[in-house]
């Protein structure tokens, strides 16, 4: 077993963690720097086969990476030295988090795993979150990131194990600041002043921008890995060749020398995360919703459809780039690179994966552009196409006419159904504070969404 002195404990060993953070640490270890190792596990019992396979393989797994020209490369990733089985008590993970040599607790729990509303307040009406409050009041851990971190940090405080960095690796704007605020609100709800003071003085939460398209692994990946390497790995996965990680250099108790393997350590991640969230993630959702409406299964198919590409291009060019400017990044080049990445047929990323969680992605990825343009008195015609596509998508969901199961943790199905069944679905969608915050019901939003919905209807009719 790797006897590295320091541990980064990761919560959520899903595909992305294994194609990104674990790969950077693996690359660092390959340079001979064995100062850090990964350990991890899940907060939910949702991938038992993958967890079991990883445990069986001592944390190692095969990664296939695909270049823009379709060239593939296979590598065995060995930076995860220990995988904890899922247990509702999270006892293995809590014990690991409380060890003095655990210096970073990182996590990927999806955009919907933070339960923050448009005003950045924790929405305790989510049953998972209220159940975690009740559990934490009885000193039991819970399955949300807040319930889990509270249990871990309480134990760390009790043992005097020293400072630790909380490192968010999800696509969330100001992901460190916002998840920290959520954690403190959760602790305040418990009335645990001692824990709040300890968290404030013993932890940091750097913001980070993470990027690598990592599709849901399929059996085809496992078969390709087997054919190319002779290794039959139930935890095999694939990602694009492109990879980027930009992190604010605010660590409470040290960090791996990531800069040696290409991680960008910066003072502020803001320009990177805004470009990524608005030009990559929002555009990605646009292509997934439009592609589904057009009958495509994969992201590259929609990106290669001239009408869909034009919608995505117009959104980025007319509405997103102007509010992101000035920027230290070449935003037009960033947009073009992103569209080229999406068009890579070898990635075979599904519309189903990217279309999910619209009720988290509209407020996170799209509403800020609407808000900022309205505040400047500027047109929102191009950005309004995205929620208009989502509305048409939602109406298909309501009719049971989507070609796949739509997963949306933040969606209240009764609210979504009421929007679709309303006499005026456009006004009903525009009126939802959960999507638009203070802009909910704004007459300019309603008007732009109505006009965009007419364009979306014409787009759908063109396809049929
Ligand atoms: N896949 C990508 O291309 C990609 C790229 C950049 C960033 N990300 C970020 O990583 C996240 C996960 O993507 P993935 O591809 O690993 O997905 P995945 O489905 O493979 O893994 C999701 C992980 O989140 C956990 N989870 C889900 N909902 C949760 C909740 N409410 N509370 C606690 N844990 C929860 C699951 O247990 C699992 O560990 C994305 O939502 C995104 O924020 C993904
Ligand atoms: O937009 C969907 C995301 O999961 C995306 O694949 C990722 O953010 C790329 O880094």
């Amino acid at each position: 077993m790797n006897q590295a002195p320091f541990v980064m404990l990761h919560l959520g060993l899903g595909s992305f963690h294994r194609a990104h953070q674990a790969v950077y640490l693996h690359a660092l270890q390959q340079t001979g720097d064995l100062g850090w190792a990964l350990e991890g596990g899940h907060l939910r019992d949702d991938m038992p086969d993958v967890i079991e396979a990883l445990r069986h393989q001592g944390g190692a797994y095969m990664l296939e990476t695909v270049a823009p020209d379709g060239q593939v490369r296979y590598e065995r990733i060995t930076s995860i030295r220990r995988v904890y089985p899922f247990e509702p008590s999270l006892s293995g993970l809590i014990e690991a988090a409380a060890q003095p040599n655990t210096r970073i607790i990182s996590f990927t729990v999806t955009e919907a795993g933070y339960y923050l509303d448009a005003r950045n307040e924790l929405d305790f009406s989510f049953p998972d979150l209220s159940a975690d409050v009740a559990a934490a009041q009885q000193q039991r851990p819970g399955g949300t990131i807040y319930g889990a971190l509270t249990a871990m940090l309480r134990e760390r405080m009790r043992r005097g194990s020293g400072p630790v960095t909380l490192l968010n690796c999800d696509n969330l704007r100001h992901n460190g600041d916002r998840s920290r605020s959520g954690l403190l609100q959760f602790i305040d709800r418990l009335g645990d002043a001692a824990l709040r003071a300890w968290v404030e003085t013993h932890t940091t939460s750097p913001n980070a921008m993470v990027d690598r398209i990592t599709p849901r692994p399929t059996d085809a990946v496992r078969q390709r890995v087997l054919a190319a390497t002779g290794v039959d790995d139930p935890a095999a996965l694939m990602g694009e060749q492109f990879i980027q990680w930009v992190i604010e250099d605010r660590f409470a108790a040290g960090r791996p020398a990531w800069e040696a393997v290409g991680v960008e350590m910066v003072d502020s991640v803001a320009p990177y995360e805004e470009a990524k969230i608005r030009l990559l993630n929002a555009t990605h959702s646009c292509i997934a919703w439009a592609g589904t409406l057009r009958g495509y299964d994969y992201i590259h198919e929609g990106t290669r459809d001239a009408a869909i590409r034009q919608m995505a291009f117009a959104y980025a060019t007319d509405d997103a780039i102007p509010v992101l400017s000035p920027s230290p990044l070449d935003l037009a080049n960033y947009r073009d690179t992103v569209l080229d990445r999406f068009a890579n047929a070898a990635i075979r990323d599904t519309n189903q994966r990217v279309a999910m969680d619209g009720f988290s992605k509209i407020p996170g990825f799209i509403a800020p552009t609407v808000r900022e343009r309205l505040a400047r008195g500027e047109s929102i015609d191009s950005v309004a196409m995205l929620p208009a596509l989502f509305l048409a998508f939602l109406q298909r969901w309501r009719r049971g006419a989507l070609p796949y199961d739509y997963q949306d943790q933040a969606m209240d199905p009764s609210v979504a159904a009421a929007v679709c069944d309303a006499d005026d679905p456009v006004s009903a969608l525009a009126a939802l504070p959960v999507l638009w915050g203070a802009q909910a019901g704004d007459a300019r939003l309603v008007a732009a969404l109505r006009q965009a919905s007419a364009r979306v209807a014409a787009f759908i009719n063109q396809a049929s």
Side-chain angles (χ1 to χ4, degrees):
M1 180 183 278
N2 178 340
Q3 295 299 329
F6 298 125
V7 170
M8 171 158 142
L9 178 70
H10 190 83
L11 311 177
L13 298 181
S15 310
F16 180 60
H17 169 70
R18 287 180 290 125
H20 190 268
Q21 300 97 59
V23 171
Y24 276 110
L25 197 61
H26 174 81
L28 186 58
Q29 291 174 344
Q30 297 304 299
T31 69
D33 181 341
L34 299 178
W36 288 76
L38 272 161
E39 298 187 2
H42 272 212
L43 303 182
R44 308 181 144 197
D45 195 13
D46 53 0
M47 289 187 198
D49 297 347
V50 171
I51 292 292
E52 200 37 50
L54 287 171
R55 283 173 57 71
H56 183 68
Q57 292 162 188
Y61 56 93
M62 297 298 297
L63 174 69
E64 176 187 69
T65 45
V66 184
D69 63 4
Q71 294 257 1
V72 288
R73 181 167 174 255
Y74 295 93
E75 189 167 17
R76 185 166 177 267
I77 306 298
T78 55
S79 52
I80 303 179
R81 73 172 180 191
R82 184 158 184 185
V83 176
Y84 294 89
F86 173 78
E87 327 160 85
S89 68
L90 304 182
S91 60
L93 289 171
I94 293 172
E95 183 61 32
Q99 293 300 315
N101 65 334
T102 296
R103 299 296 178 87
I104 299 173
I105 302 176
S106 55
F107 34 94
T108 41
V109 294
T110 81
E111 293 84 341
Y114 295 95
Y115 312 96
L116 292 162
D117 69 16
R119 287 165 305 154
N120 244 352
E121 283 172 16
L122 267 194
D123 183 348
F124 288 98
S125 67
F126 281 102
D128 287 352
L129 201 52
S130 48
D132 268 21
V133 171
Q137 275 161 344
Q138 296 161 29
Q139 308 292 317
R140 285 188 290 110
T144 71
I145 188 65
Y146 304 120
L149 284 177
T150 295
M152 290 171 187
L153 297 176
R154 268 180 172 162
E155 189 57 18
R156 199 168 172 95
M157 174 177 79
R158 192 182 70 76
R159 295 196 201 175
S161 296
V164 67
T165 299
L166 309 176
L167 183 59
N168 189 326
C169 301
D170 271 309
N171 286 324
L172 197 70
R173 167 171 293 97
H174 315 320
N175 62 1
D177 294 340
R178 295 185 64 219
S179 51
R180 181 179 191 81
S181 157
L183 175 64
L184 293 173
Q185 290 176 54
F186 185 88
I187 293 170
D188 286 346
R189 187 83 164 197
L190 304 174
D192 192 338
L195 182 62
R196 179 184 239 277
W198 190 91
V199 169
E200 283 179 331
T201 52
H202 288 78
T203 69
T204 58
S205 304
N207 297 304
M209 185 275 254
V210 290
D211 195 3
R212 171 173 253 182
I213 295 172
T214 311
R216 283 231 166 94
T218 58
D219 196 51
V221 175
R222 180 173 173 178
Q223 296 310 326
R224 286 200 302 274
V225 168
L226 176 62
T229 67
V231 178
D232 184 17
D233 178 2
L237 74 159
M238 68 92 74
E240 64 173 337
Q241 186 185 56
F242 181 97
I243 188 165
Q244 190 177 19
W245 197 4
V246 188
I247 316 177
E248 291 178 356
D249 205 353
R250 296 189 282 113
F251 284 73
R255 61 165 175 82
W258 280 310
E259 60 274 26
V261 288
V263 179
E264 295 160 73
M265 306 302 306
V266 297
D267 290 335
S268 168
V269 86
Y272 301 90
E273 71 177 15
E274 287 300 335
K276 169 72 219 295
I277 283 174
R278 300 194 206 206
L279 297 181
L280 190 153
N281 295 117
T283 310
H284 220 179
S285 300
C286 166
I287 291 170
W289 295 327
T292 302
L293 294 169
R294 200 79 145 179
Y296 300 130
D297 294 326
Y298 296 103
I299 290 293
H300 65 271
E301 297 172 318
T303 312
R304 290 167 177 217
D305 178 311
I308 297 178
R309 192 182 173 100
Q310 177 53 28
M311 273 181 213
F313 185 88
Y315 151 70
T317 311
D318 303 344
D319 288 4
I321 291 180
V323 288
L324 291 172
S325 302
S327 165
L329 309 182
D330 178 344
L331 297 172
N333 182 50
Y334 191 96
R335 169 202 62 205
D336 295 344
T337 305
V338 159
L339 288 172
D340 288 349
R341 287 166 63 195
F342 292 167
N344 185 348
I347 307 270
R348 294 181 76 76
D349 198 7
T350 58
N351 289 329
Q352 179 179 20
R353 182 187 81 80
V354 179
M356 68 189 273
D357 285 334
F359 272 77
S360 298
K361 290 176 176 174
I362 289 185
F365 301 163
I366 298 166
T369 301
V370 169
R371 182 175 60 245
E372 288 161 25
R373 290 190 67 83
L374 289 180
R376 290 156 55 150
E378 292 172 348
S379 152
I380 55 168
D381 289 351
S382 295
V383 62
M385 288 300 284
L386 279 59
L389 287 164
F390 181 66
L391 177 58
F393 177 91
L394 206 59
Q395 288 168 321
R396 287 227 177 147
W397 162 82
R398 178 65 177 150
R399 296 200 300 274
L402 284 179
Y404 48 73
D405 182 33
Y406 174 61
Q407 296 166 343
D408 193 326
Q409 290 195 55
M411 178 173 88
D412 178 336
S414 63
V415 170
V419 166
C420 296
D421 298 346
D423 291 340
D424 180 359
V426 165
S427 296
L429 190 83
L432 292 181
V434 69
L435 297 185
W436 307 108
Q439 274 62 51
D442 187 304
R444 295 164 297 174
L445 173 62
V446 177
L449 197 50
R450 197 174 304 290
Q451 195 200 53
S453 287
R455 288 165 63 200
V456 167
F459 159 79
I460 295 171
N461 288 337
Q462 230 177 47
S464 51

